[in-house]
Amino acid sequence: MPGTSKVDWMHIFADQESSELSISQYCKLHGISDKAFYNARTRYKKTVETPSLVAVEVNDDIGSSNTGCISFKLNGMSFEFNASAPDSDIQRIIKICLTL
């Protein structure tokens, strides 16, 4: 796709990953050649590395039925832990999720 900016490709990569479609299926659906997709992904691969900061929504509503629990969403996945869970366990789970 000549003329497609780096930012546009980054959005395309993210959209494909969240679509649950294979790269071939996604490209066919959106009129992108597989070759263009793979070439762009190789070109911008340095930018697609695991982020060092990740947005996490934390819900610690005291009035909810989850009193004593910590719940959060990470990359669309929901987690709930007992408030006494060791930080190291939570950090390990977050690291695993970032590799998925």
Side-chain angles (χ1 to χ4, degrees):
M1 292 177 49
T4 304
S5 73
K6 178 179 179 177
V7 171
D8 290 337
W9 277 114
M10 299 307 285
H11 288 291
I12 290 169
F13 300 147
D15 189 44
Q16 184 277 322
E17 288 176 10
S18 66
S19 72
E20 297 185 9
L21 297 172
S22 70
I23 291 173
S24 257
Q25 292 168 328
Y26 181 87
C27 288
K28 186 174 183 176
L29 182 67
H30 293 280
I32 303 169
S33 77
D34 289 7
K35 183 178 178 179
F37 185 95
Y38 286 111
N39 285 342
R41 193 171 76 168
T42 299
R43 188 175 329 125
Y44 301 124
K45 186 173 184 165
K46 293 176 196 136
T47 325
V48 184
E49 295 173 0
T50 304
S52 58
L53 297 175
V54 179
V56 176
E57 291 177 33
V58 178
N59 178 10
D60 58 355
D61 293 335
I62 304 228
S64 73
S65 61
N66 296 329
T67 303
C69 293
I70 299 169
S71 61
F72 62 92
K73 288 186 180 182
L74 173 65
N75 293 342
M77 295 179 277
S78 296
F79 298 90
E80 187 173 298
F81 294 92
N82 184 301
S84 64
D87 289 346
S88 59
D89 290 350
I90 296 171
Q91 291 170 353
R92 191 175 74 239
I93 291 169
I94 290 171
K95 284 180 183 178
I96 292 168
C97 292
L98 291 174
T99 63
L100 300 176

